Amino acid sequence: MVKLSSSKSAREFFNISKVAIKFSWLTVSFWIAVTVAGILAFSSLKYALFPDITFPVVVVNATAPLTTALDTEAKLTKPLEERLRSLEGLENIRSSTYPGQTAVALSFAVGTNLETSTKEVETALKQVTLPQGATSKIIPLNLNESAAISYAIESPTLNLQDLTKLAKDEIVSAIAKIPGVLRVSLLGDATTTPFDPSKLSAATLTQQGSTLVRFNGQDALAFQVIKRGNANTLEVVSLVEKEVQRLRSTLKDVNLTLAATQAKYIRQATQSTIDALIEAVVLSIVVIFPFLWNWRATLISALAIPTSLLATFIVMAIFGFNLETITLLALALVIGSVIDDAIIDVENIMRHIDEGETPRQAAYSATDEIGLTVIATTATAVAVFLPIGLMGGVIGQFFKPFGITVSAAMIASTLVARTLSPALATYWLKPANPNSRRRQQTNIWLNFTQFYRNLLNWSLKHRKTVIALAILSFVAGMALSLLIPKGFIPKLDRGEFNITYTAPLPKIPEQFSQAQAAQAQGTNPNPQSPVPNPPFPIPNPLNDSLEVAKKLEDVVRKSPAVETVFTTVGSREGEPNKGNLYVKLKDDRNIKTAEVQDQLRSSLPNLPGVTTSVEDIQFVDTGGQKPLQVSLRGDNLQTLNKAAQAIKERIEKLPGFADVTVTSDTNSQGAVFQIERLNNQRVAYISANLGKDLSLGKATDQIVAEAKAVLPADVTLDLGGDSARQGEVFASFGSTLVLSALCIVVVLILLFKSWIDPLVIGVSLPLSIVGAMLALLFTKSDFGMISLIGFVFLLGLANKNAILLVDYINQLRQSGLDRTEAILKAGPVRLRPIMMTTASTLLGMLPIALGLGAGSELRSPMAVAIAGGLITSTILSLIVVPVVYSILDDWFPRKKFQI
């Protein structure tokens, strides 16, 4: 047995275990208190699908007595944009101009106070000079104020008018009183004020404000519950469901049928993640026993998981996080890592006991020996994850809970391993019986470690070969990255989706246009009756839109996978020619959501002038953008329209592009009905959905290539939608990874007081790339935002094994062994904890990587990347790290060791 130096050093400075062992009763009492506080904190956490992300948007709707879109742009839209463009925190200003009407949407930076922004817009609007007769309205939009649940209202005995009155008096009023409910919208209201033909205009045709509702092919009423922006969806839905149950018992002749809800999928997805977390806990604990063959040691190590999780819940409660997909995924992924520190400590204590020390002596010497290693591994992991928690913008809001939750769990697990685990070990661990199963298994393990020692010895004698293999693996990993499709967020098999449509608006009779022009110029001979009731049919876009909806319904309801269809005719913005079919699929279907979507895209009828789009349910409401969107910028409307149509025609012929739309479709035969502008410049938008076999990265490359072939010199192309967000994510994570790597280097230099050891440890990071890429390739996973998080996670884990090896090699050399002896002794000694921690982490991620349950598409790529990278990093690190250590030691000889 080699005696290690006992000189005062950083190792002793970080050995808080001495105090924990000396005052073991205080240590246990402290963690009991943490456990109680953690249980209370856990009870206060709420369930959600994603973190609360606020996109502050303020819309200015303005109208003026102008007859053309060009006049409206010049006299209404441009003056508004010029004044509003200088508002503080404004990121984008987008406008849509129609004859006599404009809508200017102001998107502010994430996190901006919506109320403050609205007041600033009101102030700025007062300073704008608008045409005579112009009116404006400011609409603040909190996109978190979304529809939480909708019910269809039907009755076998009441007509629609009587049912509407009952719904208003008995149902809407009761639901509106529920805490967290912002408002209750009654859809299909039969008592809406009838259309006034004397006010017929382009603006009134697009802003009637009424809606019609159908449920499973029948006319109906419906109420839609809009939750407050800061309200929890599941809480609101639960309260609404209870109230609906009460209403069902009191309203005997009324049927309230669930039409649409966010809650079902949220519940399924969170429950699936919780199930994966529980399975991860069990597997991580089970894998320890075959290595230790000691149930007491296994129990001590296992206690690190619930104790660390409960401590993490306290931090989550302090920061106001929810138990949602991202934080639950963080906890599930970190399970195997949480137990690692305890495994390292307990295994080292057992080794010292096996070498003849008493449990208390073993606890003191083992924790002193391993203290710097545990602190270093945790510090480097936190150095990776904490920058994620400090990221800004949309990505920061999305992943802040992930970074902070993982960091908290890592720190908590280290404190448990350095205090509670050794304190319990002094009382629970005993020397093994000579005839025990543990002794027999030790002999088997010795044979395995001897094989590893021989392999390590060969590697030290063939260093060039080992380095060549390491470089080859890194190059292979980089090459494999070119074969993996680039994505953003995986498509989810939610069992629900929307079909949106836009029908053509009826043309205004010429007599009406002439009368309105005369009224605007003050030449109407009878101003008391500016537009007389005409003798011809009045255009009714809502009824025309209803007929379109019925034809679409007929096709959708024939699909054997469809359970219900909830149709709303007329949009929430008051556009009667638009509508939405919410399609709910059967739970027992044997076909994926994306496959049903592709089938319907090919079977929906081609109606004259009608555009349809089969849309995924959005993660976060961003205003209905499709995943793929590009904008063409230019000043000439005809050139923009021609270029947009040319690109549309080209990409419609490519496989995988679906529901391709162009905003300039409404401008035809020289007539301009709609003008789109983005950041004070005219644009034409080309949008598309993607089929199940087309990745976002490939689609983006294809549309850019097709656009370059036809774009004139005065038109430029910009990416939007998920394509733009994908670029933002990769850029943001690129800078975060660089920052994390720098943090790792700084932490290791401070702890090891040398730049050579951090360089050796850093070798393990590129060794993980080949495994991660291979895993993504074999599982056909996209390289997107979710798998990218897996790579960041891997960055925090991959260096742990290298730290274990390098630190112990240094200790042995400090105790008097030469370099080769130290390497050949440190490798086999550290082999067991390295194998244990790797196995526990891998098995902990197995339930997530298998991709089972609702929302598995979100969880699986991350775990797959981590597991693949960890396997290759562990295998290669056991050989490559000692070899690199010896090479650098030749290049930069060490004079002495003071760790």
Side-chain angles (χ1 to χ4, degrees):
M1 175 179 163
V2 179
K3 287 288 184 182
L4 302 180
S5 171
S6 60
S7 58
K8 295 287 182 181
S9 62
R11 192 174 312 284
E12 291 189 358
F13 176 78
F14 287 114
N15 190 11
I16 59 174
S17 302
K18 286 184 177 180
V19 178
I21 296 169
K22 185 176 181 180
F23 301 101
S24 55
W25 61 272
L26 188 59
T27 301
V28 173
S29 299
F30 170 78
W31 285 109
I32 290 174
V34 169
T35 300
V36 173
I39 293 171
L40 294 175
F42 175 76
S43 64
S44 70
L45 299 178
K46 300 175 181 178
Y47 289 94
L49 186 59
F50 290 111
D52 290 331
I53 303 176
T54 55
F55 294 90
V57 177
V58 179
V59 177
V60 177
N61 281 335
T63 59
L66 301 169
T67 56
T68 68
L70 289 171
D71 273 352
T72 307
E73 179 194 33
K75 299 176 183 179
L76 194 61
T77 305
K78 284 185 176 180
L80 287 171
E81 289 181 346
E82 284 298 322
R83 179 62 191 88
L84 296 172
R85 65 188 296 184
S86 60
L87 291 177
E88 186 178 354
L90 184 65
E91 287 195 336
N92 284 305
I93 179 167
R94 177 173 175 170
S95 64
S96 299
T97 304
Y98 305 91
Q101 179 186 358
T102 186
V104 182
L106 308 167
S107 300
F108 291 87
V110 172
T112 304
N113 184 279
L114 182 60
E115 186 177 347
T116 302
S117 299
T118 304
K119 289 180 180 178
E120 290 177 357
V121 172
E122 290 174 350
T123 302
L125 202 57
K126 293 176 182 177
Q127 302 169 9
V128 182
T129 302
L130 298 177
Q132 186 176 2
T135 61
S136 62
K137 182 180 181 182
I138 297 174
I139 306 171
L141 296 179
N142 182 346
L143 297 180
N144 280 336
E145 294 174 352
S146 56
I149 191 168
S150 301
Y151 280 88
I153 309 172
E154 300 168 297
S155 174
T157 58
L158 299 176
N159 60 38
L160 197 58
Q161 190 165 357
D162 291 339
L163 186 60
T164 300
K165 185 176 185 308
L166 183 145
K168 286 182 176 181
D169 296 341
E170 302 289 339
I171 300 174
V172 172
S173 58
I175 301 295
K177 297 175 183 177
I178 294 174
V181 172
L182 177 68
R183 66 179 180 275
V184 181
S185 301
L186 186 61
L187 307 178
D189 186 350
T191 62
T192 301
T193 303
F195 179 64
D196 185 354
S198 69
K199 297 179 180 178
L200 180 64
S201 68
T204 56
L205 281 179
T206 58
Q207 296 290 329
Q208 286 193 13
S210 58
T211 58
L212 298 174
V213 169
R214 288 170 60 81
F215 185 65
N216 286 339
Q218 300 295 322
D219 293 337
L221 281 179
F223 70 86
Q224 186 180 63
V225 180
I226 310 297
K227 75 176 188 70
R228 295 186 180 277
N230 58 355
N232 180 267
T233 300
L234 291 185
E235 288 185 349
V236 171
V237 169
S238 294
L239 292 173
V240 170
E241 288 172 339
K242 289 179 181 177
E243 183 61 24
V244 166
Q245 284 294 99
R246 186 192 69 79
L247 290 169
R248 282 172 176 161
S249 64
T250 57
L251 303 174
K252 300 299 183 183
D253 293 333
V254 176
N255 298 323
L256 300 178
T257 309
L258 179 64
T261 180
Q262 296 181 25
K264 183 177 180 180
Y265 186 78
I266 295 175
R267 288 166 177 158
Q268 290 176 340
T270 51
Q271 187 58 52
S272 295
T273 312
I274 291 171
D275 291 343
L277 193 154
I278 294 171
E279 291 163 1
V281 171
V282 173
L283 290 173
S284 296
I285 294 172
V286 167
V287 76
I288 303 171
F289 188 76
F291 284 96
L292 298 178
W293 287 103
N294 185 311
W295 69 267
R296 293 172 183 263
T298 302
L299 181 59
I300 293 171
S301 301
L303 280 175
I305 294 179
T307 311
S308 300
L309 289 181
L310 288 169
T312 305
F313 292 146
I314 298 173
V315 176
M316 291 175 64
I318 291 172
F319 278 90
F321 297 157
N322 294 322
L323 287 171
E324 31 82 7
T325 302
I326 297 298
T327 50
L328 285 172
L329 184 56
L331 292 173
L333 289 173
V334 86
I335 289 299
S337 303
V338 159
I339 202 173
D340 282 0
D341 292 340
I343 288 174
I344 293 170
D345 264 304
V346 173
E347 189 276 339
N348 210 36
I349 293 171
M350 284 188 62
R351 184 173 62 83
H352 278 267
I353 292 175
D354 289 343
E355 290 175 352
E357 296 182 19
T358 65
R360 183 168 287 271
Q361 288 174 332
Y364 277 121
S365 55
T367 54
D368 181 58
E369 177 183 304
I370 213 75
L372 183 62
T373 301
V374 174
I375 296 296
T377 56
T378 301
T380 53
V382 172
V384 171
F385 297 117
L386 205 53
I388 295 177
L390 301 177
M391 289 168 66
V394 177
I395 307 302
Q397 280 209 348
F398 200 79
F399 284 111
K400 177 182 178 180
F402 183 94
I404 291 178
T405 298
V406 172
S407 298
M410 291 285 195
I411 293 171
S413 70
T414 299
L415 292 175
V416 171
R418 302 301 294 148
T419 58
L420 183 62
S421 296
L424 294 177
T426 59
Y427 294 101
W428 290 4
L429 294 186
K430 306 295 180 185
N433 187 298
N435 299 320
S436 68
R437 176 80 171 174
R438 178 175 150 200
R439 286 292 187 187
Q440 297 171 21
Q441 293 299 322
T442 300
N443 294 331
I444 297 174
W445 182 257
L446 286 174
N447 294 330
F448 182 70
T449 55
Q450 184 59 45
F451 167 78
Y452 168 60
R453 189 182 189 281
N454 294 338
L455 179 61
L456 188 56
N457 190 36
W458 180 90
S459 301
L460 292 172
K461 294 176 181 178
H462 300 81
R463 299 190 302 187
K464 290 182 180 179
T465 303
V466 172
I467 296 301
L469 288 173
I471 293 173
L472 184 63
S473 71
F474 175 71
V475 173
M478 299 305 294
L480 286 171
S481 66
L482 301 176
L483 304 177
I484 300 171
K486 308 298 185 294
F488 180 54
I489 295 179
K491 289 176 72 72
L492 299 183
D493 186 18
R494 292 183 63 142
E496 57 184 353
F497 56 90
N498 290 319
I499 300 177
T500 62
Y501 69 86
T502 302
L505 284 168
K507 293 183 179 179
I508 304 173
E510 188 177 349
Q511 297 95 316
F512 270 54
S513 299
Q514 293 172 351
Q516 287 179 325
Q519 181 186 0
Q521 296 170 6
T523 58
N524 193 319
N526 186 5
Q528 299 300 319
S529 180
V531 184
N533 289 331
F536 43 80
I538 300 297
N540 191 330
L542 195 63
N543 281 346
D544 294 346
S545 183
L546 175 62
E547 293 306 311
V548 170
K550 288 180 179 179
K551 293 174 182 177
L552 297 177
E553 280 179 352
D554 289 342
V555 175
V556 174
R557 295 185 63 221
K558 289 177 182 177
S559 171
V562 172
E563 182 177 1
T564 60
V565 180
F566 176 50
T567 303
T568 306
V569 181
S571 74
R572 66 181 181 181
E573 290 82 12
E575 299 161 299
N577 62 320
K578 295 185 178 182
N580 182 79
L581 282 70
Y582 168 78
V583 181
K584 179 74 175 70
L585 303 182
K586 296 174 181 176
D587 291 335
D588 59 351
R589 69 187 184 280
N590 55 6
I591 184 172
K592 290 188 175 181
T593 304
E595 294 174 300
V596 178
Q597 290 176 308
D598 283 349
Q599 289 176 359
L600 290 177
R601 286 188 180 110
S602 61
S603 60
L604 286 175
N606 292 318
L607 304 174
V610 176
T611 59
T612 59
S613 181
V614 182
E615 309 274 357
D616 293 327
I617 304 292
Q618 291 183 318
F619 290 101
V620 180
D621 189 351
T622 54
Q625 285 186 353
K626 293 179 181 177
L628 185 68
Q629 185 185 82
V630 296
S631 59
L632 304 183
R633 294 172 178 261
D635 295 323
N636 189 301
L637 288 175
Q638 289 185 341
T639 305
L640 280 176
N641 182 35
K642 184 178 178 181
Q645 293 296 337
I647 296 172
K648 177 186 177 182
E649 290 173 5
R650 294 173 76 100
I651 65 173
E652 279 182 327
K653 298 175 183 177
L654 300 175
F657 287 88
D659 312 320
V660 183
T661 57
V662 173
T663 52
S664 58
D665 277 345
T666 54
N667 303 331
S668 59
Q669 299 176 351
V672 178
F673 180 76
Q674 177 183 0
I675 302 173
E676 293 290 330
R677 295 171 60 85
L678 178 64
N679 295 328
N680 302 82
Q681 189 174 12
R682 287 174 173 173
V683 295
Y685 295 106
I686 306 168
S687 304
N689 290 317
L690 305 181
K692 63 182 180 68
D693 297 322
L694 181 62
S695 70
L696 178 66
K698 184 177 180 181
T700 303
D701 292 340
Q702 286 182 331
I703 195 171
V704 170
E706 295 294 335
K708 285 182 178 179
V710 297
L711 280 185
D714 59 343
V715 176
T716 58
L717 180 143
D718 289 328
L719 295 178
D722 285 350
S723 299
R725 285 187 278 271
Q726 180 191 45
E728 293 170 8
V729 166
F730 280 100
S732 183
F733 270 105
S735 58
T736 301
L737 282 172
V738 172
L739 177 61
S740 296
L742 289 174
C743 289
I744 289 175
V745 171
V746 170
V747 167
L748 290 176
I749 289 176
L750 289 175
L751 291 175
F752 284 92
K753 299 180 180 178
S754 164
W755 63 268
I756 300 175
D757 289 336
L759 189 59
V760 175
I761 292 166
V763 168
S764 59
L765 301 180
L767 297 178
S768 63
I769 292 178
V770 62
M773 291 299 180
L774 276 172
L776 290 176
L777 188 64
F778 287 153
T779 58
K780 298 181 180 179
S781 301
D782 287 355
F783 184 68
M785 185 168 70
I786 303 301
S787 54
L788 191 58
I789 279 289
F791 277 83
V792 176
F793 203 99
L794 194 56
L795 186 65
L797 296 182
N799 56 26
K800 180 174 288 189
N801 297 334
I803 292 173
L804 271 171
L805 283 171
V806 171
D807 181 49
Y808 196 49
I809 292 171
N810 286 343
Q811 289 185 61
L812 292 173
R813 294 186 68 184
Q814 186 178 0
S815 68
L817 296 184
D818 65 28
R819 186 184 70 199
T820 302
E821 287 179 311
I823 292 174
L824 293 177
K825 179 177 177 60
V829 168
R830 289 291 182 249
L831 179 62
R832 185 166 69 170
I834 286 174
M835 296 293 286
M836 289 171 64
T837 55
T838 301
S840 65
T841 303
L842 289 176
L843 282 180
M845 291 182 183
L846 183 62
I848 308 167
L850 288 176
L852 304 176
S856 61
E857 301 90 344
L858 271 180
R859 302 186 295 269
S860 182
M862 195 182 298
V864 164
I866 296 169
L870 204 56
I871 290 172
T872 57
S873 175
T874 300
I875 294 172
L876 293 173
S877 292
L878 286 168
I879 301 299
V880 177
V881 168
V883 169
V884 172
Y885 181 96
S886 67
I887 291 173
L888 289 180
D889 193 59
D890 284 342
W891 293 352
F892 307 99
R894 307 173 190 233
K895 295 180 180 179
K896 63 177 183 177
F897 285 88
Q898 181 64 36
I899 306 299

